[in-house]
Every structure is written in C-alpha cells, then in structure tokens.
Amino acid sequence: MFDLLLTMLERLGIIVTIAFILTRFPFFRGMFYQDQLNRKQQYIAILFFGFFGIIGTYSGLTFNTESLQFNRWTAELAADEAIANSRVIGVVLAGILGGYKVGVGAGLIAGVHRFTLGGFTGFSCGVASIVAGLIAGAVHKRNHHVKLKTAFFVGGFAEAVQMLIILTLSRPFEAAVTLVESIGIPMIIANGLGSALFLLVIKNVMNEEEKAGALQAQKTLRITDQTLAYLRHGMTITSAQQVCRILYNEMTSSAVAITNDTHILAHIGEGSSHHRTNSPIQTDITKDVLKKGKVVVASDQSIHCVNENCPLDAAVIAPLKQRGETIGTLKVYFHSEKEITSVIKELISGLSNLLSHQLEVAQAEKAYQLAKEAEIKALQAQISPHFLFNSLNTIISLIRIDPKQARQLLVSLSHFLRQNLTGTTVDMISLAQELQHVKAYLAIEEARFVDKLNISYSIEENGLQANIPPLTLQPIVENSIKHGLKNKNQDCFVTITIEKSEKGTKVKVEDNGQGMDAKTIENIYKGKVVSETGAGVGLYNVNRRLTMMFGEKAALQIESKPQLGTEITFFLPNEGGRLDGSSHYRANRR
C-alpha cells in the first residue's frame, strides 16, 4: 500500500506539468478569474479537463486482483484487472473551477473513456467520474477563489465516493473488496494531494505574474510622475538629461540615452566619455529605428560604436513619436544581450510610448498657448489706437481734397478690420483672402506715406488657392513697413511674390529697408524680439504657427543684412498634408 502511494505521488509530476501549461492559456485565466463562463469557454474547459482525466487514467497503475501485482502503465485491462489512477483530479478541478456543467461534462468524457478500457470496474469507475463532477460542482462558488484545503478535501472525498461505487456496482464483490482494500487509502490521499497541488501551482504562477505586472506598473507610474515635469517643456537637451537620469536610476541598465532625429541629446551611465551630448548619431541601427519607427534589440555587431573599448555591447532602441512621426529614440544599454529579457523589452517599449504621449501633451499645451497668444494679439491689432487714429486722420484729410480716394480708404479700412476679426474665429483661409487683407492694409499705408512707399506684386494666380493660417502674411508686410522702412524718407520699396510649384506655394516679402544683423534674426526665431508698436502677432508667432501647421520645412526663412534690406520667405504645401508627409494639417482644418 505504501509503495503504491509513493508511486502515485511520483506520477503527480505530470499534474504539475499540466498545471503549468494551463496557466499559458487565456481561456483558463478567464475560468480562474471570471464568475461565470460563456458557452464557448465551457466547451473548451470540458474538452480540456476531460482530456486531463484521460491522461490521469493512462498514467495509472494496472492492478490484478488475483496476483495482487501492479503494472507500471495502463494499455488494456483483463476481466480481473482495475486501475489505480488520478483521473478524478481533472474532473474535480473542472467542477470546482467551472461549475457542475463543466464538471459533469469532463466526468462524462473521462468516464466513457474509462468504460471502454474494460475490466470488472469499468462501469462503476465511469459512473464515479460523473459523480465526482457533480460533487465538485456543488462546492463551486461565485465571487470566491478556491482554497487549497477545499481542493484537497473534495479530491479525497470524490475518490472515497468512487471506492463506495466500486463496492456497490462491481462484480465479483470479493474482487471489489480486495481492490478497495489495496488501493483505496493511497488513491484517496494521492488524489486529494494532487488536486491541492494542481491548484497551488496555478495560483503561484499566476500570482507571481500578477506581482511582476504590479511592480512594472508601479515602476511605470513612478517614472511617469518624475518625468512629466521635465517633458512639459518638450524634448530639449535639459529635459532629455533629466529623463535619462530618472530612467537610469529606476532600471538595471548600463546606460540610458535619448536622441532627436539627428543628434544625441543626453547619455547617462557607462560610455558617457565618448557618447557625448550634441554629437551626431553614428550608428545605422539608430537611423533605422528613426526611419521605420519600430523597437529594435541591438547586439555588439550592430551597434558599431566608434570606441573599441566601449563597455556597451547590447541595447534596446525604441522610437519616440509625435503625431505618428518618429522624432527621436530612447536607447537603453546593457553589457550583454542576455540581460535583455522579454519583460525588459516590453518595459522599454512601454516607456517609449509613455514618453511619446507626454511629448504629445507638451506639444498640445504649446499649441494651445500659441493659439491663445495669437488670438490676444490679433484682438489688440483690431483696436490698435495708433493705427486707427492715423488711418482716420488720413481719410479726414482726403475728404475735401479727394473724396473718391477717401471713400476707397474707408472701404479698405472696413475690410482690414473685418478680416482681423475673422482671423480670430477660423484656423485657415485662402491665400487670396490673406492677400486681400494685406492689400487693404497697404492701401491705407500708401495713402499715409505718399511718394514714399512703393508696393509691387508678382503673383501667380494658381498659387492663391493655397490655404494659410489667418494673419500670417500681413504681420510680415507690417514688419517691413514699421521696422524695416521706418528711417527712410523716400524710395521705400516692398515686393510681394507668390509662386506656384508642384509641391506647393512659395511666398516672399522683400524690402529695401535698414535690414538686421544675424543676432536679431536669431532672436526672432527664439521669440526674444517683441514688437514695440503692438501692430501684429509678430514674426516669432507667425513662424511658430507655420511650423505647427505644416512642419519645420514651412518655417520662415529670413535673409537680411544691415542697410541692405530684408527678404522673408515661407512655403505652403499643397492641400492634404504637411511638408514632412504627415496628415496633421488636414486633421486641424475646420
């Protein structure tokens, strides 16, 4: 009897293996956590646990009631043979986890199979399998996880009931008594332990996975909380260094780096002596990630560091994206590719998505602030007392001298003010509308500066269909007159050129004014030059709006030298997208 118990306990290794395999299946996870299974899940569970019961039958020991000898594996049975097996474990677990329907279904499959093997206990064992499913289903509780002791007692009790059924239904009775005396207690203990062991393995594996997931989630939330304050300012060298330092402290990596699409913004950890900030991206694999936008695991053969003694032999490189466009990379380095587990790769991929979302939020906040600033300054332009006072004085002075021109100037002033108001309520207008706005403004200025200001146009009519943010061209022209020509008393020329090409429309404003030096141009791009007159939204805001709408290639191109005039050019793409290929422009049109 003791030898039989030890042998059956040895066979429980099969149970442990099956239990571990079960944890890999989504349907079983659903069964373990859900209160009620749908029909498809029930069918799958019945088939699986029924098959599990069949394995328990085949892994049992054949017992001969005449010779009282055990055979190691079951194939087929003679009339005086029976099986000491663990079939009941699969049936009991089916009922405990899935309810009586699943338990009875699994018991029916395992029981019919046992009946087909023959032996004098074939019918009684088949019936006992179905009864075991009913017993286990009776203790199935919704909203409650099964306890180990419950599985132990139900498994042992179901096996005890099977012994009673064998005594009741199996003939000859003497053989049934001999069988129960020989295998009863070992099977009750082994199947009770097997049921509890099966459940223990499943719980431990799933609890460990949940614990690992919780730790990863906790780490991710902690990183989110720490990096958010820095990424609100966008992806700069300073913010990248702070984010890399946070990631380096939170992860068991050798180094962490962040790049934009051309240069290394930050590198914290080993290799910082030659992976320097602001140095160009050197590796082809990083360029490949920038191009394809997918996470890549790099080995020492693909990193190709320029320093032969570089300690960084492996890395996970993940893209950083804005509006679907890859704008940089997150690089986490390791000493060896063996250190990069699937969990590490998944974590880094998640962090790159997280950082990308934070950059999106930062970009959205900047866009919102830019829009509010543009709206406020546009409203200021509508009620500028200096411009309105000077315009009305000019019109008043012309009423007696040239009433016709005075009427035309009133129409121009009306159009100018109305267009300013329209510019605060729409995102885009046609270039033709923007040009009319500019002409209305220039008509007033030409009347004020008679024989001083000369305006010329070079316009390709098919280019006027391009779309443009309102109050874009007018501030550039206003800048030429208010600042570029303010110290000239005569021969002040302003030329407006609009040229159509296959890719879009080129707009250029030239003047022969006092010009500006390189430092002033640099300050304009940085937003450090503020209009003293308050007459428009300013070149900085115009530039920001163009790049936000159409990409960096649409930015203002300013060419100027002191006393040699200024030329400001920008490019509008054809309708349907940005110059960099994304679809942000169309998505933001109203």
Side-chain angles (χ1 to χ4, degrees), residues 148-170:
L148 294 180
K149 64 179 181 180
T150 301
F152 174 79
F153 285 118
V154 173
F157 180 70
E159 190 58 50
V161 170
Q162 179 171 249
M163 295 298 112
L164 291 174
I165 293 175
I166 289 173
L167 290 173
T168 303
L169 301 179
S170 298

Side-chain angles (χ1 to χ4, degrees), residues 104-413:
V104 171
L108 185 62
I109 292 174
V112 169
H113 171 265
R114 172 62 188 88
F115 176 75
T116 61
L117 292 179
F120 74 100
T121 61
F123 177 73
S124 57
C125 287
V127 172
S129 297
I130 300 173
V131 172
L134 284 170
I135 294 172
V139 300
H140 170 74
K141 293 182 180 180
R142 296 183 181 179
N143 302 319
H144 288 85
H145 287 298
V146 183
K147 296 180 179 179
L148 294 180
K149 64 179 181 180
T150 301
F152 174 79
F153 285 118
V154 173
F157 180 70
E159 190 58 50
V161 170
Q162 179 171 249
M163 295 298 112
L164 291 174
I165 293 175
I166 289 173
L167 290 173
T168 303
L169 301 179
S170 298
R171 294 294 180 271
F173 181 73
E174 293 78 9
V177 172
T178 302
L179 175 66
V180 171
E181 288 177 347
S182 301
I183 71 172
I185 293 176
M187 284 186 64
I188 290 172
I189 296 173
N191 285 315
L193 287 174
S195 299
L197 181 61
F198 185 97
L199 200 61
L200 177 64
V201 171
I202 292 173
K203 282 191 171 185
N204 282 347
V205 171
M206 297 183 74
N207 286 342
E208 285 299 318
E209 289 183 356
E210 289 175 359
K211 183 179 179 181
L215 290 174
Q216 293 288 66
Q218 186 180 30
K219 179 181 290 187
T220 301
L221 290 173
R222 189 165 59 246
I223 291 173
T224 302
D225 182 60
Q226 295 179 66
T227 58
L228 184 59
Y230 299 105
L231 290 178
R232 281 176 179 167
H233 305 294
M235 197 166 69
T236 64
I237 291 177
T238 302
S239 64
Q241 287 177 337
Q242 295 296 336
V243 170
C244 284
R245 188 167 285 107
I246 291 169
L247 294 178
Y248 180 71
N249 292 334
E250 290 287 346
M251 301 179 67
T252 57
S253 59
S254 302
V256 178
I258 289 179
T259 75
N260 59 18
D261 57 348
T262 57
H263 289 76
I264 298 172
L265 296 180
H267 182 102
I268 302 297
E270 297 180 23
S272 57
S273 59
H274 55 279
H275 292 272
R276 295 194 179 114
T277 297
N278 235 5
S279 60
I281 295 173
Q282 300 172 0
T283 60
D284 291 335
I285 194 165
T286 302
K287 295 176 183 178
D288 193 51
V289 172
L290 287 167
K291 182 179 179 180
K292 296 181 179 179
K294 294 182 179 180
V295 180
V296 170
V297 177
S299 61
D300 56 345
Q301 289 86 8
S302 53
I303 291 178
H304 297 304
C305 183
V306 294
N307 190 309
E308 294 181 357
N309 299 320
C310 181
L312 307 174
D313 290 332
V316 178
I317 307 174
L320 298 175
K321 298 183 178 182
Q322 278 185 354
R323 302 191 188 116
E325 175 190 357
T326 303
I327 61 167
T329 63
L330 169 65
K331 305 171 73 173
V332 183
Y333 290 95
F334 299 88
H335 288 139
S336 169
E337 196 172 353
K338 292 181 180 180
E339 298 179 28
I340 304 174
T341 64
S342 58
V343 174
I344 291 288
K345 183 179 177 182
E346 194 67 28
L347 174 62
I348 295 171
S349 177
L351 287 175
S352 72
N353 289 332
L354 169 68
L355 298 180
S356 296
H357 290 319
Q358 289 183 341
L359 291 171
E360 290 272 11
V361 171
Q363 192 77 352
E365 288 182 359
K366 288 181 180 179
Y368 175 76
Q369 293 299 327
L370 185 63
K372 295 299 293 183
E373 184 180 355
E375 181 178 354
I376 291 171
K377 291 190 175 182
L379 289 171
Q380 291 175 345
Q382 294 168 24
I383 58 174
S384 172
H386 299 290
F387 176 79
L388 188 59
F389 178 78
N390 291 332
S391 300
L392 291 176
N393 271 348
T394 302
I395 293 171
I396 290 171
S397 66
L398 288 172
I399 288 177
R400 292 185 179 180
I401 303 173
D402 192 345
K404 183 178 180 180
Q405 187 180 5
R407 285 194 300 271
Q408 291 175 345
L409 290 181
L410 278 173
V411 172
S412 296
L413 179 61

Side-chain angles (χ1 to χ4, degrees), residues 58-130:
Y58 278 125
S59 64
L61 301 173
T62 302
F63 178 74
N64 190 298
T65 56
E66 294 290 336
S67 62
L68 302 181
Q69 296 295 317
F70 291 95
N71 293 321
R72 286 291 179 180
W73 296 98
T74 301
E76 56 183 20
L77 300 176
D80 58 349
E81 291 181 331
I83 307 173
N85 59 78
S86 56
R87 176 178 58 255
V88 75
I89 295 176
V91 178
V92 165
L93 289 168
I96 290 177
L97 297 176
Y100 76 93
K101 291 182 180 180
V102 177
V104 171
L108 185 62
I109 292 174
V112 169
H113 171 265
R114 172 62 188 88
F115 176 75
T116 61
L117 292 179
F120 74 100
T121 61
F123 177 73
S124 57
C125 287
V127 172
S129 297
I130 300 173

